[in-house]
Every structure is written in C-alpha cells, then in structure tokens.
C-alpha cells in the first residue's frame, strides 16, 4: 500500500539496508518464489488437514517446518541450510 512508499518508510528501509522492489501483484512471473511457496503450503493442507475439522491454524507450524526442511530442486539446499 501507499504506506510503504512514504518518506518515513523509505528512510527506515535505507537505515536497515533494505531495497524496495515493486512488482505486479499476483503475477507468477514476477513473484515466482512466493507463488510457489504458497502453492506448496496449500498442497500440504490438502493432504494433511481435513476440511471438516478446519484446523489449518494448528497445522500451519507443521506445514512451515516441512517446507523449510525440504530441499529446493533448483538450488539443492533447504532454507535451513
């Protein structure tokens, strides 16, 4: 949102060494890694969470742990490494 384009936000980003990038929202071409991560989390939920139970909030930490421990096919390393 516009709050991230304010002078205060830019000063804060510069102070902590962040570079702000603008990309098209919901674009699998510009947000490929984020889109793939979301797809992986949804796949985990489809396999492990009963739709009747609706306990996704309880399963989320387990989904994230599984995602973080899984080796990336391209880089051949896991996010924990």
């Amino acid at each position: 949102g516009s709050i991230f384009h304010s002078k205060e936000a830019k000063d804060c980003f510069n102070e902590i060494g962040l570079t702000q990038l603008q990309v098209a929202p919901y674009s699998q071409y510009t947000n490929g890694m984020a889109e793939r991560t979301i797809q992986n989390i949804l796949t985990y939920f489809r396999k492990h969470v009963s739709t009747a139970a609706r306990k996704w909030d309880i399963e989320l930490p387990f989904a994230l742990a599984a995602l973080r421990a899984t080796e990336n096919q391209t880089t051949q390393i896991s996010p924990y490494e």
Side-chain angles (χ1 to χ4, degrees), residues 3 5 8 13 19 22-23 38 51 60 63 69 72 74-75 79:
I3 191 167
H5 300 289
E8 292 83 8
F13 294 153
T19 303
Q22 291 192 13
V23 296
I38 292 168
T51 55
L60 182 60
N72 183 297
T74 304
T75 63

Side-chain angles (χ1 to χ4, degrees), residues 21-37:
L21 301 175
Q22 291 192 13
V23 296
Y26 308 111
S27 171
Q28 63 182 352
Y29 300 107
T30 56
N31 298 322
M33 185 179 288
E35 294 295 327
R36 182 64 185 160
T37 301

Side-chain angles (χ1 to χ4, degrees), residues 50-67:
S50 167
T51 55
R54 297 181 188 263
K55 58 179 185 169
W56 67 269
D57 56 330
I58 295 168
E59 290 290 328
L60 182 60
F62 300 107
L64 294 175
L67 180 70

Side-chain angles (χ1 to χ4, degrees), residues 4-52:
F4 295 107
H5 300 289
S6 69
K7 182 182 179 330
E8 292 83 8
K10 290 178 183 178
D11 291 343
C12 179
F13 294 153
N14 287 335
E15 187 173 319
I16 60 176
L18 290 178
T19 303
Q20 186 178 19
L21 301 175
Q22 291 192 13
V23 296
Y26 308 111
S27 171
Q28 63 182 352
Y29 300 107
T30 56
N31 298 322
M33 185 179 288
E35 294 295 327
R36 182 64 185 160
T37 301
I38 292 168
Q39 183 181 16
N40 289 340
I41 292 171
L42 292 176
T43 300
Y44 176 91
F45 282 159
R46 284 187 202 104
K47 291 181 181 179
H48 297 282
V49 177
S50 167
T51 55

Side-chain angles (χ1 to χ4, degrees), residues 40 65-81:
N40 289 340
L67 180 70
R68 292 172 182 148
T70 304
E71 184 178 273
N72 183 297
Q73 291 179 348
T74 304
T75 63
Q76 300 298 310
I77 59 172
S78 75
Y80 277 134
E81 290 182 33

